[in-house]
Amino acid sequence: VGSAKFVHVKAKGLFLAGIQAKIVNENHSYSLINLGKAGKVKVNGEATTRCVLKNGDIISVGKSTFKFVEGRD
């Protein structure tokens, strides 16, 4: 997640890093990890550096907002 051309999820915002955050699969759950400046990534309105995501969580990166939806095969 970030402002770089090659990221999978594009976000907008002033002073946003090219790669601001990443979502990783860890132990059968997904975690969001902030790789940039503190306070630029929020989950459900709370600034975070790392958290386990739950289905329906609202992720804010810079001025962009996304809803986390866990897909099942």
Side-chain angles (χ1 to χ4, degrees):
V1 180
S3 61
K5 292 181 181 181
F6 57 84
V7 297
H8 294 285
V9 180
K10 293 282 276 180
K12 295 181 180 181
L14 194 59
F15 304 116
L16 198 60
I19 303 174
Q20 182 68 44
K22 68 179 179 177
I23 297 173
V24 296
N25 188 338
E26 300 178 316
N27 301 319
H28 307 291
S29 65
Y30 290 93
S31 294
L32 176 81
I33 303 168
N34 183 359
L35 302 173
K37 283 189 170 189
K40 294 281 186 179
V41 177
K42 297 180 181 179
V43 175
N44 299 323
E46 297 291 323
T48 187
T49 55
R50 182 186 190 102
C51 74
V52 175
L53 294 171
K54 298 181 296 296
N55 199 36
D57 279 347
I58 302 299
I59 302 166
S60 299
V61 179
K63 294 184 177 187
S64 300
T65 302
F66 310 95
K67 183 176 184 178
F68 177 73
V69 179
E70 186 176 359
R72 302 263 184 217
D73 293 324

